[in-house]
Amino acid sequence: MSDVTAHVVILGAGHAGGTAAALLRQYGHEGPITLIGEEPIAPYQRPPLSKAWLKGEADADSLALKPVEFYAENGIDFRPGVRGVSLDRGAKRLALSNGETVGYDVLILATGARPIALPIEGADLQGVLFLRTAEDAEKLKAALGPGKRLAVVGGGYIGLEAAASARALGAEAVVLEREPRLLARVACETLSTFFKTYHEAHGVAFELGAAVTAFRGENGRVTGVILSDGRVIDCDAALVGVGARPNDEIAEDSGLECARGVVVDLSARTSDPSIYAIGDVAHRPMPIYDRMFRMESVPNALEQAKQAACAITGRAPPPGETPWQWSDQYDIKLQIAGYPFDVDEVLVRGDPASGKFAVFHLKGDQVQAVEAINSPPEFMMGRQLIGNRRPVNRSKLADPSVSMKEVAA
Ligand code: FAD
């Protein structure tokens, strides 16, 4: 049963939390909404932090999800710079870092994720950086420019985007990756090879199979990264981009069901019916794959904000979406739909050397995932095929002269 007068408290004022607050009002919620976030600014988009914003092509206003006045104008009590520290589910109260407590009827946990730190010597030196917040991006930007050298620890999307932005700003960039290939956890081998070649052509250096054992410093500042074979990679700053972990401690300590993320259902509801969890912190069902997992993407944050806002305001649940995400590096637009679970064939459509191709991941005659480089039709139709589970003709799919419309027909 929904109660349009309930007090909804949202903990975490990021992409998911900010969106949920706006949707609740849009869907007619009349009760008080309190949006609590530890960052000092209103909810903003993170994707530009490693892309346009880092290169100086976007400003703080263009990052914001809504102008800051939006919250007061819509009766949303936005409290920046405050951290939620613990949760008393029996009393329905949240304790805050400023000593106050806030009562709720409904709580939405939207605390996101944080970068994983490397537990190695020198990790606390100045110039050893992360990239999650606008403040982090400001520090990274200040460290880049002609004559500077950035060492990126971790060859994932954020690290590669930062390396591309560093090159655009005239800095040198070297990427250090423990695995034998880039993007090993998140992309197929064809993509790894494609991105490595493209980055090398833009002057990025790579050390693959390189385990970082320590940071070297002078006068408290990083000057190099030490590898397990004893080599030292000189740098003026080091960006650690080795993945993120969910901010689920408050939920776990309060006894909510967690599994490296707060476990939720298709309404984003946790094991406590008055608490929801959305965005990077949630471990959610994905019916098209018949499994649960945690996603770190803007479309997922938006979809789950919608699921929670619908459930809280008594609307019908939104239709299920096929997961997708993107990455921009130089003039390359990578769009990814789905996840390659239980795949038995990987099919490349188009020629990677042309800079325009797509990799389809198939299970039997069903598309499980597509990675599309500068190929919007392959991405869009691929996404549809994943969502509607229609069988696909492999030879037509492999032939770029057959349009994607015909393949999907
Ligand atoms: P967040 O946006 O991280 O918001 C969580 C908020 O909660 C933060 O402000 C945090 O400070 C706050 N918080 C945490 N704990 C507490 C607490 N105890 N009390 C109060 N506040 C708290 N996704 C894409 O789809 N495409 C991309 O190209 C892309 N690029 C990215 C580039 C970068 C550099 C980064 C960092 C992420 C990128 N992402 C991208 C991922 C995307 O930004 C996230 O999936 C999305 O922001 C998740 O939204 P969220 O609200 O769950 O978490």
Side-chain angles (χ1 to χ4, degrees):
M1 272 294 281
S2 73
D3 173 3
V4 290
T5 62
H7 180 192
V8 181
V9 172
I10 303 172
L11 185 66
H15 220 122
T19 305
L23 283 175
L24 282 167
R25 283 288 178 248
Q26 192 184 319
Y27 294 170
H29 187 75
E30 290 167 11
I33 299 175
T34 305
L35 175 62
I36 299 166
E38 67 177 333
E39 289 188 70
I41 54 175
Y44 60 93
Q45 312 170 62
R46 291 178 205 280
L49 296 181
S50 49
K51 312 175 182 83
W53 196 87
L54 200 54
K55 289 187 277 179
E57 294 166 2
D59 59 19
D61 285 348
S62 66
L63 289 188
L65 291 188
K66 302 272 185 200
V68 69
E69 312 81 61
F70 169 87
Y71 301 95
E73 283 167 12
N74 285 276
I76 296 164
D77 178 15
F78 170 48
R79 301 198 201 167
V82 190
R83 197 177 155 70
V85 291
S86 66
L87 175 59
D88 179 344
R89 291 199 290 126
K92 290 194 166 186
R93 292 199 81 78
L94 186 65
L96 305 180
S97 53
N98 61 6
E100 291 175 23
T101 64
V102 184
Y104 64 85
D105 299 309
V106 175
L107 176 66
I108 301 180
L109 296 170
T111 46
R114 62 178 181 273
I116 294 171
L118 291 173
I120 58 175
E121 198 187 321
D124 55 353
L125 287 166
Q126 270 182 43
V128 176
L129 306 172
F130 296 95
L131 184 49
R132 180 78 196 179
T133 65
E135 195 185 337
D136 294 339
E138 191 66 39
K139 283 188 197 156
L140 177 59
K141 197 167 159 189
L144 300 177
K148 301 284 184 196
R149 186 165 206 239
L150 176 71
V152 178
V153 182
Y157 286 122
I158 289 182
L160 290 181
E161 288 175 356
S165 300
R167 293 299 297 138
L169 291 170
E172 281 182 49
V174 52
V175 176
L176 314 171
E177 168 56 54
R178 188 185 55 183
E179 302 298 325
R181 68 178 178 94
L182 299 174
L183 301 168
R185 280 183 307 125
V186 289
C188 68
E189 220 158 329
T190 307
L191 238 66
S192 304
T193 308
F194 172 78
F195 274 114
K196 181 164 179 283
T197 308
Y198 212 86
H199 275 272
E200 281 170 343
H202 286 77
V204 177
F206 290 94
E207 294 287 345
L208 301 183
V212 170
T213 54
F215 294 103
R216 171 185 278 185
E218 260 175 49
N219 303 321
R221 248 206 104 70
V222 71
T223 56
V225 182
I226 304 175
L227 303 182
S228 56
D229 60 10
R231 280 181 303 148
V232 179
I233 308 293
D234 293 332
C235 66
D236 301 289
L239 173 65
V240 179
V242 296
R245 58 143 301 162
N247 292 319
D248 61 356
E249 289 84 354
I250 290 179
E252 195 155 23
D253 292 348
S254 76
L256 285 175
E257 190 188 348
C258 291
R260 268 177 287 152
V262 187
V263 174
V264 295
D265 65 15
L266 275 176
S267 301
R269 200 181 265 117
T270 67
S271 52
D272 178 333
S274 51
I275 303 181
Y276 295 76
I278 59 177
D280 284 10
V281 76
H283 183 81
R284 57 163 289 180
M286 182 47 69
I288 51 173
Y289 298 114
D290 195 21
R291 57 173 85 199
M292 307 267 303
F293 53 102
R294 195 174 70 79
M295 286 188 253
E296 292 176 7
S297 76
V298 166
N300 172 61
L302 300 180
E303 185 189 12
Q304 286 198 298
K306 218 182 280 173
Q307 290 173 345
C310 283
I312 293 166
T313 55
R315 290 167 82 103
E321 289 179 20
T322 302
W324 68 279
Q325 55 196 302
W326 73 95
S327 175
D328 298 330
Q329 296 165 45
Y330 312 103
D331 53 349
I332 301 170
K333 178 120 203 135
L334 164 67
Q335 293 167 295
I336 304 168
Y339 287 85
F341 293 123
D342 310 322
V343 162
D344 52 50
E345 188 182 344
V346 174
L347 188 154
V348 180
R349 177 179 159 96
D351 178 8
S354 71
K356 196 167 148 25
F357 67 100
V359 183
F360 285 85
H361 299 257
L362 300 163
K363 177 187 174 193
D365 54 8
Q366 279 184 338
V367 179
Q368 296 287 83
V370 56
E371 297 159 307
I373 295 279
N374 296 330
S375 301
E378 275 71 8
F379 166 70
M380 284 185 295
M381 293 306 207
R383 196 174 159 215
Q384 264 181 34
L385 286 166
I386 297 164
N388 62 28
R389 314 309 282 151
R390 277 227 296 268
V392 75
N393 179 311
R394 289 181 187 215
S395 53
K396 280 186 179 174
L397 185 61
D399 180 356
S401 71
V402 179
S403 77
M404 277 308 292
K405 253 195 181 145
E406 197 182 327
V407 173

